[in-house]
Amino acid sequence: MGASDRNMILPRIRQLDEGAVNRIAAGEVVERPASAVKELVENALDARATRITVDIADGGRTLIRVTDDGHGIEGADLPLALSRHATSKIDGSDLLNIHSFGFRGEALASLGAVGRLTVTSRTAGAAEGATIRVSGGRMDPPRPAALRGGTVVELRDLFHATPARLKFLKSERSEGMAVADAIRRLAMAEPAVAFTLRDVSDGGERVLFRADGSDAAGRLALVLGRDFIRNAMPLDAARDGFHLGGHAGLPTFSRGNAVHQYLFVNGRPVRDRMLTGALRGAYSDVLAKDRHAVAALFLTCDPVLVDVNVHPAKTEVRFRDAGLVRGLIVSGLRHALAEAGHRSATTVADAALGAMRPDRPAAPVYRMDRPGPAARAQAYAAQMPGFAEAPSARVEQDFPTQDGPLGAARAQLHENWIVAQTADGIVIVDQHAAHERLVYERLKAQMRDRGIAAQTLLIPEVIEVGAQADRLLSLDLSRLGLAVEAFGPGTIAVRETPAILDAVSAADLIRDILEELEDEEDGDPLSLQSKVDAILSRMACHGSVRSGRRMSGPEMNALLREMEATPNSGQCNHGRPTHVTLRLSDIERLFGRT
């Protein structure tokens, strides 16, 4: 170190002025217009508002106005409300027993530090309202104002005091969509409250979102669409002080990204990595890796069991027993999935019907008397005396009666598609996909009970696996119904295979197992149970009915009955639907009939 360095005068420690402190705090709380909207709407909810209107302009850059009918703020308290760490929601004695959305008391102060903020409020019974204005941290004294009741918070020119932040904002459309998403999440959390979001740019008024008071299911249907409610499973599970409610979509109602996953803890919208991981783990057995579930999960508990004060924007939480919460979500969702049984999303049928509809105006609808099944069969026989089965189609002559949800098998097309007739339509089943799921569930059941039953091969199958031999021999594969032993350098001998798979290529089975053992997501190894399930899924594929195999009527009906009794049979091991249900009314509409 030189003499000039030793003689350098160190800067003195000093207290930052309040304006700088508020701007720094605003940088943590207010990242974009949507953050400001979230804070203001949460304040309105804490004020017991039943109607909340949000107006924005230019995506929230130039104007955010939140109007509510809550209990309001006393005029004398307005200057204190705009001060940092001033709140009426807690007394500071217990920061783990939080029952309100906001409690830090810094949102209004932060917004006033980076924008032009005006707060107008009137409490019930007050002779008049009051208004106060703050701009860039400089506060004007409160003044009387005319207001019927509640509170109006108007924020103009967000980030005018910190213009560098404006460079990090996205387009007006993107910021507006983020604001709408924040409102939707809060609307889902508070179904009894009416919300309105309007765009008032350029002096116009365009409603972006509106939701009146309703029940929880009705609000979810409004926000996520009625297709979601029709294709979702209600949740009701509890464990050691935690309760899981909401709705979760069927696996076949999945999406290509996770933006339609909504998580709430004690009514607070959160984006928590542990919760999303539990949701993903619950669906891991029924969804392809590139698909994501649609869900709205509401977790409630005593506030002392969760810490909501671990993130400035309160979007993350920390549980006292995270393992308990994760287990509740996984078990609750998997139980609901098992209860859904053979259900498949109605949107699968809708997509099929949409693909079959011609790209032309609808044909005229004609009303006619339809003959019964027997009369139609006689008419066909009279018109087509030379009718014979096509090489790729088999029709069951002795049509059985079956009142089950999947009906009775009527035909097999192209040696892969089973056509069943139900009371009000038809069901088309992918025989390979359906049987693959059934075999998979049988393997899992055997694995849980006593291990998978094995069959001894008359002649052991010798397989070269190279450097993977030692790794494979180190595993206990006996519970998987496999008996493997060394047979020279880089070579193994398979002496037993799972009995449920019947005649199976041991070489293909071993290679699939090795591929699953090597599989990693984002560099992190899959959990042991996930690896085992993935291996069983591969094994099931080897033992299922193949496309191209002709099935007899009793075989097809046995498959349908087992699907009805098997959990998760609405989708195959890879998340694809195993069957499509077409109502008779839908089919008739395709042909212009009523």
Side-chain angles (χ1 to χ4, degrees):
M1 182 181 295
S4 58
D5 295 329
R6 287 193 298 269
N7 295 330
M8 182 179 64
I9 300 176
L10 296 175
R12 298 290 302 276
I13 297 175
R14 60 186 177 86
Q15 186 79 43
L16 290 175
D17 64 82
E18 187 171 352
V21 171
N22 285 339
R23 288 193 294 273
I24 293 172
E28 297 179 341
V29 177
V30 186
E31 300 175 1
R32 59 194 307 188
S35 306
V37 170
K38 171 182 173 295
E39 296 288 343
L40 295 177
V41 173
E42 287 180 350
N43 281 345
L45 292 171
D46 286 338
R48 303 294 185 266
T50 59
R51 303 194 69 84
I52 300 174
T53 301
V54 180
D55 297 322
I56 61 172
D58 302 320
R61 281 186 175 88
T62 58
L63 172 67
I64 295 173
R65 184 191 302 117
V66 178
T67 305
D68 69 68
D69 62 351
H71 55 59
I73 306 172
E74 295 282 352
D77 288 341
L78 282 177
L80 190 59
L82 270 66
S83 304
R84 293 189 70 233
H85 306 314
T87 180
S88 61
K89 302 170 186 179
I90 61 172
D91 60 8
S93 61
D94 190 354
L95 294 179
L96 292 179
N97 193 15
I98 305 297
H99 294 267
S100 57
F101 281 104
F103 54 89
R104 293 169 176 261
E106 61 184 23
L108 292 179
S110 297
L111 293 174
V114 295
R116 309 182 199 277
L117 183 69
T118 302
V119 181
T120 306
S121 189
R122 181 180 179 179
T123 58
E128 60 182 2
T131 185
I132 191 170
R133 180 178 300 173
V134 58
S135 178
R138 294 189 300 274
M139 187 185 306
D140 296 338
R143 295 179 291 106
L147 188 67
R148 181 169 299 178
T151 303
V152 179
V153 181
E154 185 174 279
L155 177 64
R156 291 186 176 273
D157 302 327
L158 182 63
F159 298 134
H160 91 93
T162 54
R165 296 295 297 272
L166 292 172
K167 300 177 182 178
F168 294 91
L169 296 183
K170 297 182 180 178
S171 67
E172 175 184 335
R173 182 174 180 274
S174 296
E175 296 299 339
M177 290 174 61
V179 169
D181 181 67
I183 295 293
R184 289 191 186 97
R185 290 176 184 272
L186 291 168
M188 294 166 68
E190 298 288 338
V193 179
F195 291 83
T196 302
L197 173 62
R198 301 182 300 197
D199 187 343
V200 296
S201 302
D202 301 324
E205 182 179 304
R206 181 166 57 97
V207 176
L208 302 179
F209 176 78
R210 175 170 288 157
D212 293 326
S214 62
D215 60 7
R219 183 58 59 86
L220 290 179
L222 175 66
V223 176
L224 296 177
R226 298 205 173 273
D227 276 346
F228 170 72
I229 293 298
R230 289 200 299 265
N231 296 284
M233 308 162 293
L235 302 173
D236 186 8
R239 182 185 297 177
D240 296 341
F242 288 89
H243 178 264
L244 176 66
H247 286 71
L250 293 168
T252 45
F253 190 75
S254 60
R255 295 291 183 266
N257 53 50
V259 298
H260 297 289
Q261 295 178 355
Y262 299 89
L263 307 173
F264 303 85
V265 177
N266 287 344
R268 182 190 303 277
V270 298
R271 289 182 172 91
D272 188 84
R273 192 172 302 174
M274 187 276 290
L275 296 179
T276 55
L279 175 60
R280 185 172 59 252
Y283 277 85
S284 63
D285 200 29
V286 291
L287 275 184
K289 293 178 181 178
D290 59 343
R291 303 297 294 176
H292 300 268
V294 181
L297 307 185
F298 294 84
L299 190 69
T300 55
C301 65
D302 190 316
V304 300
L305 298 178
V306 57
D307 186 1
V308 298
N309 197 28
V310 298
H311 190 275
K314 302 180 289 295
T315 56
E316 297 178 8
V317 294
R318 182 174 297 146
F319 295 97
R320 182 172 294 181
D321 190 343
L324 172 65
V325 176
R326 177 181 173 83
L328 172 63
I329 293 175
V330 172
S331 62
L333 284 169
R334 288 189 172 174
H335 178 74
L337 288 167
E339 288 291 316
H342 67 275
R343 280 184 64 192
S344 183
T346 61
T347 49
V348 176
D350 293 340
L353 289 168
M356 289 191 287
R357 289 190 179 97
D359 296 328
R360 57 182 173 81
V365 177
Y366 300 96
R367 188 175 299 274
M368 60 189 72
D369 294 325
R370 298 195 306 272
R376 287 199 298 268
Q378 292 175 1
Y380 278 3
Q383 295 171 14
M384 303 180 65
F387 173 76
E389 293 182 2
S392 61
R394 283 194 324 98
V395 179
E396 286 298 304
Q397 301 299 329
D398 297 326
F399 179 58
T401 59
Q402 177 55 242
D403 297 329
L406 296 181
R410 189 70 182 90
Q412 183 190 32
L413 305 180
H414 295 284
E415 287 80 40
N416 185 65
W417 311 103
I418 298 173
V419 180
Q421 180 175 322
T422 62
D424 60 351
I426 65 173
V427 176
I428 304 173
V429 179
D430 182 339
Q431 67 185 38
H432 172 68
H435 195 245
E436 185 179 25
R437 168 57 69 173
L438 300 181
V439 173
Y440 180 35
E441 294 297 332
R442 285 186 224 151
L443 287 170
K444 288 197 299 180
Q446 289 187 16
M447 186 76 176
R448 285 192 302 266
D449 295 342
R450 59 191 179 280
I452 298 172
Q455 61 182 354
T456 303
L457 300 180
L458 292 176
I459 302 176
E461 190 165 344
V462 179
I463 308 167
E464 292 186 8
V465 293
Q468 297 282 11
D470 292 339
R471 183 182 184 187
L472 198 62
L473 293 169
S474 67
L475 301 174
D476 180 14
L477 299 178
S478 59
R479 286 186 59 82
L480 296 177
L482 286 167
V484 179
E485 61 183 35
F487 196 81
T491 306
I492 61 171
V494 179
R495 296 191 176 276
E496 294 180 354
T497 59
I500 194 175
L501 303 185
D502 199 13
V504 63
S505 169
D508 291 340
L509 197 58
I510 291 296
R511 291 190 184 97
D512 281 349
I513 291 174
L514 289 173
E515 286 183 12
E516 286 298 339
L517 292 175
E518 294 173 354
D519 191 18
E520 292 182 354
E521 289 184 354
D522 300 326
D524 296 326
L526 296 172
S527 68
L528 177 60
Q529 186 58 48
S530 296
K531 284 183 179 292
V532 172
D533 288 344
I535 290 171
L536 295 180
S537 177
R538 293 257 192 161
M539 293 170 65
C541 189
H542 289 279
S544 59
V545 173
R546 292 292 178 181
S547 299
R549 173 185 163 182
R550 287 199 167 198
M551 298 180 67
S552 66
E555 285 178 325
M556 292 188 287
N557 280 296
L559 181 68
L560 298 178
R561 302 291 78 78
E562 190 173 356
M563 288 176 65
E564 293 168 351
T566 301
N568 306 319
S569 61
Q571 56 283 319
C572 74
N573 307 353
H574 315 292
R576 296 188 299 270
T578 57
H579 67 277
V580 173
T581 300
L582 300 178
R583 296 184 299 272
L584 193 60
S585 58
D586 292 328
I587 300 172
E588 290 174 335
R589 196 162 60 247
L590 285 172
F591 291 92
R593 303 178 67 172
T594 60

